[in-house]
């Protein structure tokens, strides 16, 4: 989702009085810790927005051999 689309969705949800939670991460090699974080964050709000780090960001954070799973696939997994 583009930033512009996300902004529209968030504004609409806020007008409806919804509570919005946000979390983000690399989510490269998805594991139980990731799932726990997503579940806990989801229970804090009516809507959970999840940010996925870009491949370039993951490379900077985790090293040149990462990500193992490309961003497009990580997005589908999450």
């Amino acid at each position: 989702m583009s930033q512009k689309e996300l902004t529209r969705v968030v504004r609409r949800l806020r007008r409806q009085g919804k509570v919005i939670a946000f979390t983000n991460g690399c989510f490269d090699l998805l594991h139980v810790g990731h799932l726990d974080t997503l579940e806990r964050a989801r229970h804090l709000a009516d809507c959970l927005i999840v940010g996925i780090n870009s491949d370039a960001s993951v490379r900077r954070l985790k090293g040149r051999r990462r990500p193992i799973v490309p961003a497009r696939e990580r997005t589908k997994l999450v």
Side-chain angles (χ1 to χ4, degrees):
M1 177 179 295
S2 72
Q3 186 173 353
K4 190 174 184 177
E5 291 170 308
L6 180 59
T7 299
R8 278 195 296 263
V9 169
V10 168
R11 284 183 180 150
R12 180 174 43 88
L13 290 168
R14 284 183 176 157
R15 280 194 305 269
Q16 295 172 357
K18 303 290 184 183
V19 175
I20 303 163
F22 174 84
T23 190
N24 74 299
C26 296
F27 300 105
D28 193 25
L29 299 177
L30 193 64
H31 56 75
V32 172
H34 291 130
L35 298 177
D36 285 344
T37 297
L38 293 171
E39 285 181 12
R40 288 172 191 242
R42 176 60 186 101
H43 290 292
L44 295 174
D46 301 307
C47 175
L48 173 61
I49 297 170
V50 180
I52 309 275
N53 288 48
S54 68
D55 289 343
S57 173
V58 174
R59 209 169 290 114
R60 284 191 304 275
L61 292 167
K62 303 212 177 244
R64 66 175 177 45
R65 293 188 170 179
R66 301 290 284 275
I68 293 169
V69 179
R72 188 168 285 224
E73 292 178 29
R74 289 182 281 125
T75 300
K76 286 183 180 182
L77 287 169
V78 171

